Amino acid sequence: MGGPAAADKGRRVVKKKAYFKKEQAACIAASLVLFGIAQWMNGEQSVADGAVKRGNPGSGEVQYEFLVKGLAEEEVPIEVSVNSRRPGKAEARENRRQVMEQLPDLILQENLSLQEVRSDLNLITRIEESGMELQWESDNPEKIDSFGRVYNQNIEENGETVCLTVTISDETGESTFQLPVRLLPPAYTQEQQKILELSQQISDAEEDSREEDYLILPKKFNGADLSYRIRPDRSTWLILIMGVAAAILYGLEEPVRQNEREKKRKELLMLEYSELVSKLQIYLGAGMTVRTAWERMAKDYQEQLSRTDRKEKKPVYEEVLRTCTDFNRGISESEAFRQFGRRCGLRPYLKLSSLLEQNRKTGLKNLRQMLDDDVADAFEERKNLAKKQGEEAGTKLLLPMFMLLAIVMVIVVVPAFMSLY
């Protein structure tokens, strides 16, 4: 029964295992091939004849670590720094000339050519591929400075020529070239041109009426009637945004505070549980019934509140008072204790209410013994909770400590830096 199917299943399992082993072999083979390629690219064969190839001019220095055989009985490591190849003087001059031919395309940016320059140039100071340094000078810095910034607001339509001098240097020497640049006025749209003309007209009117109390703005421009208004301050919208944000945050405040109150209430309930069970155990041991003991705890709590000026209420005894109120309203003890456990909502209180409810229904003879065990567990839980609260308090102190540390570091470090200057 099931023999052929089981055998077929076994063959499929074996076949799957064999296929997985093939994949493993393929991974190992691929790693061996890649390892061989990496070893070959590491340059072990490049020094077989004692020759190490230099990099192209400007590529910088390369560090090699060789194993030298023959200095000692075993191979010893040695580090060698190999600089890039230094070109000859003629080759270097040719390289600088070629860079000069490429410069116009490198510095134009948005301009069409060096004969039509209307915006800033990108006067580069280094060419990474060849390691060459460039230094720029302008014969008219008021029109084009050495950083490539263009000042062409007052240029005539036919333009103005500015000569840029660039010095290209490398490790073998330097070469100086000149680039003539034809500077043209900015290319304005028709609207921008009108704005410039109106601004100039207002500027002239302002200068002519310096002795007057008011500046009279032009009412007509190129046959068109003009009207003016102060541009609104957009920052006033920030007031509305801040108000809306404050309203949202205020709406979120109450849920956050409610969660904090609920968390604090649960922590107090856990801390007060051991005290409640201990008192209940003592009163039961004195011969009181559960209800009488409960009412006695409520009465003691009320007297304690009346003796102190500061009404510091305890959540667990507030629930005890509420349970006594349920007794007086005619609610059965079983139901009152069940509601007490539900209102507290924590596992120890649910367990206690269950014990008291069963004691009422069936009369548990070992109730005191069970309360003894519960008291031991409650004190252990209270100790763990106090330890946890201590750790949380230590964590909350970390931020002020780091802030104080930062202030101290600023007080110490800033004068030290200022003394250096």
Coordinates of all heavy atoms in Angstrom, one line a residue, residues 231-275:
R231 N 3.2 95.4 -1.9 CA 3.2 94.0 -2.0 C 2.9 93.4 -0.6 O 3.5 93.8 0.4 CB 4.5 93.4 -2.4 CG 4.6 91.9 -2.7 CD 5.8 91.5 -3.4 NE 5.8 90.1 -3.7 CZ 6.8 89.5 -4.5 NH1 7.8 90.2 -4.9 NH2 6.7 88.3 -4.8
P232 N 1.9 92.5 -0.5 CA 1.5 92.0 0.9 C 2.7 91.2 1.5 O 3.4 90.5 0.8 CB 0.3 91.1 0.6 CG 0.4 90.7 -0.9 CD 1.1 91.9 -1.5
D233 N 2.7 91.3 2.8 CA 3.8 90.5 3.5 C 3.3 89.1 3.7 O 2.3 88.8 4.5 CB 4.0 91.2 4.9 CG 5.2 90.6 5.6 OD1 5.8 89.7 5.1 OD2 5.4 91.0 6.8
R234 N 3.9 88.2 3.0 CA 3.5 86.8 3.1 C 3.8 86.2 4.5 O 3.2 85.1 4.8 CB 4.3 86.0 2.1 CG 4.1 86.4 0.6 CD 2.6 86.2 0.2 NE 2.4 86.7 -1.2 CZ 1.2 86.7 -1.8 NH1 0.1 86.3 -1.1 NH2 1.1 87.1 -3.0
S235 N 4.6 86.8 5.3 CA 4.9 86.3 6.6 C 3.7 86.3 7.5 O 3.7 85.6 8.5 CB 6.1 87.0 7.3 OG 5.7 88.4 7.4
T236 N 2.7 87.1 7.2 CA 1.5 87.1 8.0 C 0.8 85.8 8.0 O 0.0 85.4 8.9 CB 0.5 88.2 7.6 OG1 0.3 88.1 6.2 CG2 1.2 89.6 7.8
W237 N 1.0 85.0 6.9 CA 0.3 83.7 6.8 C 0.9 82.8 7.9 O 0.3 81.8 8.3 CB 0.6 83.1 5.4 CG -0.3 83.7 4.4 CD1 0.0 84.7 3.6 CD2 -1.6 83.2 4.0 NE1 -1.1 85.0 2.7 CE2 -2.0 84.1 2.9 CE3 -2.4 82.2 4.4 CZ2 -3.3 83.9 2.3 CZ3 -3.6 82.0 3.8 CH2 -4.0 82.9 2.8
L238 N 2.1 83.1 8.3 CA 2.7 82.3 9.4 C 1.9 82.3 10.7 O 1.8 81.3 11.4 CB 4.1 82.8 9.7 CG 5.0 82.0 10.7 CD1 5.2 80.6 10.2 CD2 6.3 82.6 10.9
I239 N 1.2 83.4 10.9 CA 0.4 83.5 12.1 C -0.8 82.5 12.0 O -1.1 81.8 13.0 CB -0.2 85.0 12.3 CG1 1.0 85.9 12.4 CG2 -1.1 85.1 13.4 CD1 0.6 87.4 12.4
L240 N -1.4 82.5 10.8 CA -2.5 81.5 10.6 C -2.0 80.1 10.7 O -2.7 79.3 11.4 CB -3.2 81.8 9.3 CG -4.3 80.9 8.9 CD1 -5.5 81.0 9.9 CD2 -4.8 81.2 7.5
I241 N -0.9 79.8 10.1 CA -0.4 78.5 10.1 C 0.0 78.0 11.6 O -0.3 76.9 12.0 CB 0.9 78.4 9.2 CG1 0.5 78.6 7.8 CG2 1.6 77.0 9.4 CD1 1.7 78.7 6.8
M242 N 0.6 79.0 12.3 CA 0.9 78.7 13.7 C -0.4 78.5 14.5 O -0.4 77.6 15.4 CB 1.7 79.8 14.3 CG 3.1 79.9 13.7 SD 4.1 81.3 14.4 CE 4.2 80.9 16.1
G243 N -1.4 79.2 14.2 CA -2.7 79.0 15.0 C -3.3 77.7 14.7 O -3.7 77.0 15.6
V244 N -3.3 77.3 13.4 CA -3.8 76.0 13.1 C -3.0 74.9 13.7 O -3.5 73.9 14.2 CB -3.9 75.8 11.5 CG1 -4.3 74.4 11.2 CG2 -4.8 76.8 10.9
A245 N -1.7 75.0 13.6 CA -0.8 74.0 14.2 C -1.0 73.9 15.7 O -1.1 72.8 16.3 CB 0.7 74.3 13.9
A246 N -1.2 75.1 16.4 CA -1.4 75.1 17.8 C -2.8 74.4 18.2 O -2.9 73.7 19.2 CB -1.4 76.5 18.4
A247 N -3.8 74.7 17.3 CA -5.1 74.0 17.5 C -5.0 72.5 17.4 O -5.5 71.7 18.2 CB -6.1 74.5 16.5
I248 N -4.2 72.0 16.4 CA -4.0 70.6 16.2 C -3.3 70.0 17.4 O -3.6 68.9 17.9 CB -3.3 70.3 14.9 CG1 -4.1 70.8 13.7 CG2 -2.9 68.8 14.8 CD1 -3.4 70.7 12.4
L249 N -2.2 70.7 17.8 CA -1.4 70.2 19.0 C -2.3 70.2 20.2 O -2.2 69.3 21.1 CB -0.2 71.0 19.2 CG 0.9 70.9 18.1 CD1 2.0 71.9 18.3 CD2 1.4 69.5 18.0
Y250 N -3.1 71.2 20.4 CA -4.0 71.3 21.6 C -5.0 70.1 21.6 O -5.3 69.6 22.6 CB -4.7 72.6 21.6 CG -5.5 72.8 22.9 CD1 -4.9 73.1 24.1 CD2 -6.9 72.6 22.8 CE1 -5.7 73.3 25.2 CE2 -7.7 72.8 24.0 CZ -7.1 73.1 25.2 OH -7.8 73.2 26.3
G251 N -5.5 69.8 20.4 CA -6.4 68.7 20.3 C -5.7 67.3 20.6 O -6.3 66.4 21.1
L252 N -4.4 67.2 20.3 CA -3.7 66.0 20.6 C -3.2 66.0 22.1 O -2.8 64.9 22.5 CB -2.4 65.9 19.7 CG -2.7 65.8 18.2 CD1 -1.4 65.8 17.4 CD2 -3.5 64.5 17.9
E253 N -3.3 67.1 22.7 CA -2.8 67.2 24.1 C -3.6 66.3 25.1 O -3.0 65.5 25.9 CB -2.8 68.6 24.6 CG -2.3 68.8 26.0 CD -2.5 70.2 26.6 OE1 -3.2 70.9 25.9 OE2 -1.8 70.5 27.6
E254 N -4.9 66.4 25.0 CA -5.8 65.7 25.9 C -5.6 64.1 25.8 O -5.5 63.5 26.8 CB -7.2 66.1 25.7 CG -8.2 65.5 26.7 CD -7.8 65.8 28.1 OE1 -7.3 66.9 28.4 OE2 -8.1 65.0 29.0
P255 N -5.6 63.5 24.6 CA -5.3 62.1 24.5 C -4.0 61.7 25.1 O -3.9 60.7 25.8 CB -5.4 61.8 23.0 CG -6.2 62.9 22.4 CD -6.0 64.1 23.2
V256 N -3.0 62.6 24.9 CA -1.7 62.2 25.4 C -1.7 62.3 27.0 O -1.2 61.4 27.7 CB -0.6 63.2 24.9 CG1 0.7 63.0 25.6 CG2 -0.4 63.0 23.4
R257 N -2.3 63.4 27.5 CA -2.5 63.5 28.9 C -3.3 62.3 29.5 O -3.0 61.8 30.6 CB -3.1 64.8 29.3 CG -2.2 66.0 29.1 CD -2.8 67.3 29.5 NE -2.0 68.4 29.3 CZ -1.1 68.8 30.2 NH1 -0.9 68.2 31.3 NH2 -0.3 69.9 29.9
Q258 N -4.3 61.9 28.8 CA -5.2 60.8 29.2 C -4.4 59.5 29.3 O -4.5 58.7 30.3 CB -6.4 60.7 28.3 CG -7.3 59.6 28.7 CD -8.0 59.8 30.1 OE1 -8.2 61.0 30.5 NE2 -8.3 58.8 30.8
N259 N -3.5 59.3 28.3 CA -2.7 58.1 28.3 C -1.7 58.2 29.5 O -1.4 57.1 30.1 CB -2.0 58.0 27.0 CG -2.9 57.7 25.8 OD1 -3.9 57.1 26.0 ND2 -2.5 58.0 24.6
E260 N -1.1 59.4 29.7 CA -0.2 59.5 30.8 C -0.9 59.2 32.2 O -0.4 58.5 33.1 CB 0.4 60.9 30.8 CG 1.4 61.1 29.7 CD 2.6 60.3 29.9 OE1 3.0 60.0 31.0 OE2 3.2 59.9 28.8
R261 N -2.1 59.8 32.3 CA -2.9 59.5 33.6 C -3.2 58.0 33.7 O -3.1 57.5 34.8 CB -4.2 60.4 33.6 CG -3.9 61.8 33.8 CD -5.3 62.5 34.1 NE -6.2 62.5 33.0 CZ -6.3 63.5 32.1 NH1 -5.5 64.6 32.2 NH2 -7.1 63.4 31.1
E262 N -3.6 57.4 32.6 CA -3.9 56.0 32.7 C -2.7 55.1 33.1 O -2.7 54.2 33.8 CB -4.5 55.5 31.4 CG -5.0 54.1 31.4 CD -6.2 53.9 32.3 OE1 -6.9 54.9 32.6 OE2 -6.4 52.8 32.8
K263 N -1.6 55.5 32.5 CA -0.3 54.8 32.8 C 0.1 55.0 34.2 O 0.5 54.0 34.9 CB 0.8 55.3 31.8 CG 2.1 54.6 32.0 CD 3.2 55.2 31.1 CE 4.6 54.6 31.4 NZ 5.6 55.2 30.5
K264 N 0.0 56.2 34.7 CA 0.3 56.5 36.1 C -0.6 55.7 37.0 O -0.2 55.2 38.1 CB 0.3 58.0 36.4 CG 0.7 58.3 37.8 CD 0.7 59.8 38.0 CE 1.2 60.2 39.4 NZ 1.3 61.7 39.6
R265 N -1.9 55.7 36.7 CA -2.9 55.0 37.5 C -2.6 53.5 37.6 O -2.6 52.9 38.7 CB -4.3 55.2 36.9 CG -5.4 54.4 37.7 CD -6.7 54.7 37.1 NE -7.8 54.0 37.8 CZ -8.2 52.7 37.4 NH1 -7.6 52.1 36.4 NH2 -9.1 52.1 38.1
K266 N -2.2 52.9 36.5 CA -1.9 51.5 36.5 C -0.6 51.2 37.3 O -0.5 50.2 38.0 CB -1.6 51.0 35.1 CG -2.9 50.9 34.3 CD -2.7 50.3 32.9 CE -4.0 50.2 32.1 NZ -3.7 49.7 30.7
E267 N 0.4 52.1 37.2 CA 1.6 51.9 38.0 C 1.3 52.0 39.5 O 1.8 51.2 40.3 CB 2.6 53.0 37.7 CG 3.2 52.8 36.3 CD 4.2 53.9 35.9 OE1 4.3 54.9 36.7 OE2 4.9 53.8 34.9
L268 N 0.4 53.0 39.9 CA 0.0 53.1 41.3 C -0.8 51.9 41.8 O -0.6 51.4 42.9 CB -0.8 54.4 41.5 CG -0.1 55.7 41.4 CD1 -1.0 56.9 41.5 CD2 1.0 55.8 42.5
L269 N -1.7 51.4 40.9 CA -2.4 50.2 41.3 C -1.5 49.0 41.5 O -1.7 48.2 42.5 CB -3.4 49.8 40.2 CG -4.7 50.7 40.0 CD1 -5.5 50.4 38.8 CD2 -5.5 50.6 41.3
M270 N -0.5 48.8 40.7 CA 0.5 47.7 40.9 C 1.3 47.9 42.2 O 1.5 46.9 42.9 CB 1.4 47.7 39.7 CG 0.8 47.2 38.4 SD 0.1 45.5 38.6 CE 1.5 44.6 39.0
L271 N 1.6 49.2 42.5 CA 2.4 49.4 43.7 C 1.6 49.2 44.9 O 2.1 48.8 46.0 CB 3.0 50.8 43.7 CG 4.1 51.1 42.7 CD1 4.4 52.6 42.7 CD2 5.3 50.3 43.1
E272 N 0.2 49.5 44.9 CA -0.6 49.4 46.0 C -1.3 48.1 46.2 O -1.9 47.8 47.2 CB -1.7 50.5 45.9 CG -1.2 51.9 46.0 CD -2.2 52.9 45.5 OE1 -3.3 52.5 45.1 OE2 -1.9 54.1 45.6
Y273 N -1.1 47.2 45.2 CA -1.8 45.9 45.3 C -1.3 45.1 46.5 O -2.0 44.4 47.3 CB -1.5 45.1 44.0 CG -2.1 43.7 44.1 CD1 -3.5 43.6 44.0 CD2 -1.3 42.6 44.2 CE1 -4.1 42.3 44.0 CE2 -1.9 41.3 44.2 CZ -3.3 41.2 44.1 OH -3.9 39.9 44.2
S274 N 0.1 45.0 46.7 CA 0.6 44.3 47.9 C 0.1 44.8 49.2 O -0.2 44.0 50.1 CB 2.1 44.3 47.8 OG 2.6 45.7 47.9
E275 N -0.1 46.1 49.3 CA -0.6 46.7 50.6 C -2.1 46.3 50.8 O -2.5 45.9 51.9 CB -0.5 48.2 50.5 CG -1.0 48.9 51.8 CD -0.9 50.4 51.6 OE1 -0.2 50.9 50.7 OE2 -1.6 51.1 52.4

